[in-house]
Amino acid sequence: MKLSQYNAELIVSEINEIINEKMNIMDSNGIIIASTDESRIGKMHAGARRIIDEHLEELEVSYDDEYEGSKPGINYPLIVKGEIIGVIGVTGRGEKTLALAKIIKRMTEILVLEIILKEEKEREVSIRNRFLEEWLNGDVRNVNKNFVERGKALGIDITLPRRMMAFSIVADTEDNKVETLKRVDEADKYLQKMVLYDKDNISMHTASYLIVGVTLKKDSEMKQRALDYKTYIENRFKVKVAVGIDSVPNEGYLMAYQSVIKARKALQSSLRRKNHEIRFYDNINLELISDEVPEIVKIEYIHKIFRGMSDEQINEAMRILEIYYESEGSINQSAQKLFMHKNTMQNKLKQLYEITSFDPRSIRYTTLYYLALYFYREVREEFFNENISTDII
């Protein structure tokens, strides 16, 4: 067990804010690794070395350099989990220094233990996460009897029937202020805690999303659980939560990675929507095509359909088509929503037909325009001048 210089410096700083005394922390070799007197850092403290070698309970220094590198004061071993990991020294004379030194020793041991337990927990989480990554992102040929047993040793029974959900925390505002980023991070951590309240649930964190495996089966149960998580996190932390859910039937733990892929694709669909509503893989359609199409191809497709039109004209056409298809081809409803006369609406559609040679009123060309609308929503902010509503298709 080793106390790092970084953690030792944090401890000295924290304790010094509460008890303003000159103090040093020496490592298991007797080297001063943290001190209120920075000039002493890196030097040998022979008194600390003696405490470690002889397992002394304390060592008082009466005058400068009584031991190499020492000053008058009291020194105690730092004992954590029955092991001497270093020495704490408090510089000074008199009963007050001796009394405070005992308090400082105990405070230091408590802080060191907290740090060690935190690091052990982080290592445990890291090991579990690597195991889950190997299971959910790796080669199914590696998922054998030994792999299953390894999971059980970590408290993860991968053979339990599970369905997969994918979550992403999104800031409720578009700024990148530190407070906003902190809120997103806190929401993300709390969501992980909520998920693991059920001991049979699993969670795997990546840089951009959280994969959650739950032992529920029905779509209705999955949606309600996801909604419970989403509602609580959004209300408490003032963020948005996008959710994607896999499909049924689930093919078992050997094919769990496929469920993860489906949940991730459903998550991408949720992220594209204005309110980030919960999305099931079985309910997405154009997204499956769009994810495989490069942005440059999407742009080329849009310009091919609306050839010869400026960005402004394309934006206007998209606005009209969006409302028209949203109104299921009703001229009257479309005109009302666009605040124009129905004849004007008819003329707009006719002009579009004349320019593109594709009649938006014909079922034959509906798919062409739907696909163009969908692609446009994804690339418009980066490649086109104007924006349109995201609530399409």
Side-chain angles (χ1 to χ4, degrees):
M1 200 178 304
K2 183 178 180 181
L3 178 62
S4 70
Q5 181 170 348
Y6 174 78
N7 287 330
E9 288 176 348
L10 286 180
I11 291 170
V12 167
S13 177
E14 188 169 337
I15 292 178
N16 194 51
E17 287 182 3
I18 302 169
I19 303 176
N20 188 20
E21 290 288 324
K22 295 178 180 179
M23 58 180 291
N24 313 291
I25 292 179
M26 283 67 76
D27 65 13
S28 57
N29 294 313
I31 303 298
I32 300 174
I33 57 173
S35 175
T36 52
D37 180 357
E38 293 185 2
S39 66
R40 299 185 68 186
I41 295 175
K43 295 180 179 179
M44 167 62 72
H45 191 296
R49 181 72 254 181
R50 182 183 174 191
I51 288 175
I52 295 165
D53 291 342
E54 300 178 18
H55 292 81
L56 302 179
E57 293 185 0
E58 65 177 66
L59 179 69
E60 186 172 358
V61 177
S62 301
Y63 52 87
D64 286 348
D65 291 323
E66 180 178 354
Y67 298 91
E68 179 189 348
S70 68
K71 290 180 179 294
I74 188 74
N75 299 274
Y76 293 106
L78 291 174
I79 303 173
V80 178
K81 292 186 175 183
E83 178 185 345
I84 298 177
I85 64 165
V87 175
I88 181 76
V90 179
T91 304
R93 293 185 175 88
E95 293 183 2
K96 179 183 176 182
T97 297
L98 293 175
L100 288 175
K102 290 182 179 180
I103 296 173
I104 291 172
K105 165 185 161 62
R106 188 60 186 139
M107 288 176 65
T108 302
E109 288 174 340
I110 291 171
L111 289 173
V112 170
L113 182 59
E114 286 180 354
I115 289 170
I116 290 172
L117 292 176
K118 181 181 177 182
E119 290 176 345
E120 288 177 351
K121 180 65 177 177
E122 289 174 349
R123 280 195 296 271
E124 179 184 336
V125 169
S126 178
I127 291 170
R128 286 171 61 90
N129 214 50
R130 284 201 302 272
F131 174 81
L132 290 171
E133 284 180 0
E134 189 176 347
W135 174 37
L136 299 176
N137 295 332
D139 190 334
V140 68
R141 291 173 295 182
N142 295 328
V143 184
N144 51 31
K145 183 178 179 180
N146 289 337
F147 188 86
V148 172
E149 292 304 316
R150 182 151 61 96
K152 288 180 179 179
L154 294 171
I156 304 170
D157 185 355
I158 67 171
T159 65
L160 288 177
R162 291 185 179 89
R163 289 188 61 185
M164 299 295 172
M165 297 188 281
F167 293 84
S168 184
I169 308 295
V170 184
D172 202 14
T173 57
E174 295 183 357
D175 62 70
N176 289 316
K177 292 181 180 177
V178 174
E179 311 88 73
T180 303
L181 298 176
K182 283 183 178 179
R183 197 167 67 248
V184 169
D185 185 59
E186 289 171 1
D188 185 72
K189 290 177 180 177
Y190 199 88
L191 175 59
Q192 291 182 68
K193 288 181 181 179
M194 288 183 68
V195 165
L196 296 177
Y197 284 159
D198 184 334
K199 64 181 180 61
D200 289 329
N201 286 353
I202 60 168
S203 70
M204 180 183 75
H205 202 272
T206 72
S208 54
Y209 56 84
L210 177 71
I211 290 294
V212 174
V214 296
T215 54
L216 303 174
K217 296 180 181 179
K218 297 179 181 178
D219 278 354
S220 58
E221 295 173 329
M222 294 289 286
K223 186 171 184 179
Q224 186 57 55
R225 180 65 59 85
L227 184 61
D228 290 343
Y229 292 150
K230 175 180 170 70
T231 302
Y232 185 86
I233 294 296
E234 287 183 342
N235 290 339
R236 175 165 181 168
F237 295 97
K238 307 306 177 188
V239 294
K240 293 292 183 183
V241 180
V243 189
I245 302 175
D246 68 2
S247 65
V248 288
N250 187 290
E251 299 183 48
Y253 73 93
L254 288 175
M255 306 301 286
Y257 73 95
Q258 290 190 350
S259 294
V260 171
I261 291 171
K262 291 177 179 179
R264 277 170 31 204
K265 289 186 175 181
L267 173 63
Q268 290 304 314
S269 175
S270 176
L271 286 167
R272 291 186 183 106
R273 282 170 152 68
K274 186 175 181 181
N275 295 318
H276 304 308
E277 65 264 28
I278 297 168
R279 297 286 287 167
F280 283 83
Y281 177 82
D282 288 340
N283 298 135
I284 64 176
N285 38 60
L286 286 180
E287 288 95 330
L288 297 179
I289 300 172
S290 181
D291 286 345
E292 305 300 324
V293 179
E295 286 189 341
I296 190 67
V297 176
K298 294 175 185 176
I299 297 165
E300 183 179 354
Y301 178 83
I302 293 167
H303 283 301
K304 183 176 178 61
I305 297 298
F306 301 95
R307 53 184 174 274
M309 296 175 66
S310 66
D311 287 357
E312 185 176 359
Q313 289 172 321
I314 292 175
N315 179 72
E316 174 65 11
M318 293 295 186
R319 187 174 70 92
I320 291 169
L321 288 170
E322 176 190 3
I323 298 300
Y324 179 64
Y325 289 128
E326 195 178 71
S327 303
E328 298 185 356
S330 170
I331 296 294
N332 287 334
Q333 286 185 28
S334 302
Q336 288 176 6
K337 291 178 181 178
L338 291 166
F339 304 102
M340 64 176 63
H341 193 275
K342 63 179 183 179
N343 291 341
T344 305
M345 181 67 190
Q346 284 276 24
N347 289 333
K348 293 282 187 182
L349 295 174
K350 184 179 178 181
Q351 289 170 7
L352 192 55
Y353 175 33
E354 291 172 350
I355 294 172
T356 66
S357 300
F358 305 123
D359 189 351
R361 296 163 295 184
S362 170
I363 294 176
R364 179 180 178 184
Y365 299 112
T366 298
T367 302
L368 293 178
Y369 282 120
Y370 259 63
L371 198 54
L373 277 166
Y374 194 86
F375 286 170
Y376 187 73
R377 179 173 63 181
E378 294 191 334
V379 302
R380 71 189 185 283
E381 292 185 5
E382 187 170 354
F383 296 99
F384 292 88
N385 294 329
E386 302 294 336
N387 294 336
I388 60 171
S389 168
T390 59
D391 296 328
I392 62 177
I393 309 183

